[in-house]
Structures are given as structure tokens and as C-alpha cells.
């Protein structure tokens, strides 16, 4: 089979990448260009079949992500409930006659404090 000659013009960044690739493989720039064309044409002529495993993986990750959001909401609600129980129990144990508004402010402060502590980086 007789080879056919083509003239190819490359953008400067692509030429630099081609030269670096040729140097790394110890080949001439022309040999790397010829290999790149062969591989590129083969890839375009025979595209890979769609991978069903990757679609299933993406769907499963989306499902896990949704569940994690639900767990975060549940944990956040449990934290708030624990703060409320602590503040009401503390108020009752101290015999303080605090109004619900004052205890609510204490609950929110305790909740905010615990959320802030959970966001801090650990050593």
C-alpha cells in the first residue's frame, strides 16, 4: 500500500504537546503524529459502546447523596432536640423560673454553639 502525504497545521500548544510526547517516548515528532492519527481515526471509526455500569454507578451515587441529605437533616433535628432537652432539664434542675422565650434563646444558642463546634477542623 502506497502512503499518501498530507500537510498538517497544528496550533502551537498542540505542537508543544506533540513534541513533549515524542521526547518522552524517544520517538520522532513525525512518528508520534502518525501514531496519533492512526489511534484517532480508529477511535472515531469504532467508538466505545456505552457503558451501562457507569450509568448505574451515577444513579447509585445520586441515591446515596439523597440519603445522606436525609441523614444530615435527621441528625440536625436530633441535635436540636438534645439541646432543647438539656436546656429544659438544666432549668428545672436549677429551679429557675425562666420563661419559654428565655429557654428558647438558650436552646438556639446551644444549638448554634454545637453546630459551630462540629464545623471546626480537627487536629
Amino acid at each position: 500500500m502506497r502512503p499518501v502525504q498530507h500537510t498538517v497545521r497544528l496550533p502551537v500548544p498542540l505542537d508543544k504537546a506533540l513534541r513533549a510526547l515524542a521526547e518522552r517516548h524517544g520517538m520522532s515528532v513525525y512518528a508520534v503524529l502518525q501514531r496519533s492519527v492512526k489511534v484517532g481515526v480508529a477511535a472515531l471509526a469504532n467508538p466505545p459502546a456505552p457503558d451501562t455500569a457507569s450509568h448505574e454507578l451515577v444513579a447509585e451515587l445520586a441515591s446515596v447523596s439523597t440519603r445522606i441529605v436525609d441523614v444530615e437533616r435527621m441528625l440536625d433535628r436530633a441535635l436540636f432536640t438534645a439541646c432543647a432537652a438539656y436546656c429544659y432539664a438544666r432549668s428545672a434542675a436549677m429551679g429557675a423560673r425562666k420563661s419559654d422565650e428565655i429557654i428558647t434563646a438558650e436552646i438556639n444558642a446551644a444549638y448554634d454553639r454545637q453546630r459551630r463546634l462540629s464545623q471546626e477542623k480537627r487536629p
Side-chain angles (χ1 to χ4, degrees):
M1 182 155 91
R2 185 173 148 290
V4 178
Q5 183 176 351
H6 291 278
T7 301
V8 179
R9 295 184 186 270
L10 300 175
V12 174
L14 189 55
D15 179 60
K16 287 181 182 178
L18 187 68
R19 289 179 188 278
L21 191 60
E23 186 176 322
R24 188 172 10 157
H25 289 284
M27 300 170 65
S28 71
V29 174
Y30 299 106
V32 172
L33 180 60
Q34 188 176 24
R35 180 186 282 182
S36 298
V37 169
K38 286 179 183 177
V39 171
V41 169
L44 290 172
N46 303 313
D51 188 12
T52 57
S54 63
H55 293 295
E56 291 173 4
L57 185 61
V58 168
E60 194 61 34
L61 282 174
S63 173
V64 169
S65 178
T66 301
R67 291 178 186 157
I68 286 174
V69 169
D70 291 341
V71 169
E72 286 176 343
R73 284 187 191 133
M74 185 175 60
L75 287 173
D76 194 54
R77 187 66 191 149
L79 173 63
F80 185 83
T81 303
C83 289
Y86 170 77
C87 289
Y88 276 110
R90 183 172 177 259
S91 177
M94 294 177 71
R97 302 272 186 225
K98 296 180 182 177
S99 68
D100 280 343
E101 290 79 20
I102 294 173
I103 296 175
T104 300
E106 290 175 355
I107 292 169
N108 288 326
Y111 171 77
D112 291 339
R113 185 172 49 254
Q114 293 302 317
R115 290 282 298 175
R116 193 172 45 256
L117 288 171
S118 72
Q119 299 299 321
E120 289 179 1
K121 291 184 180 180
R122 292 174 181 85

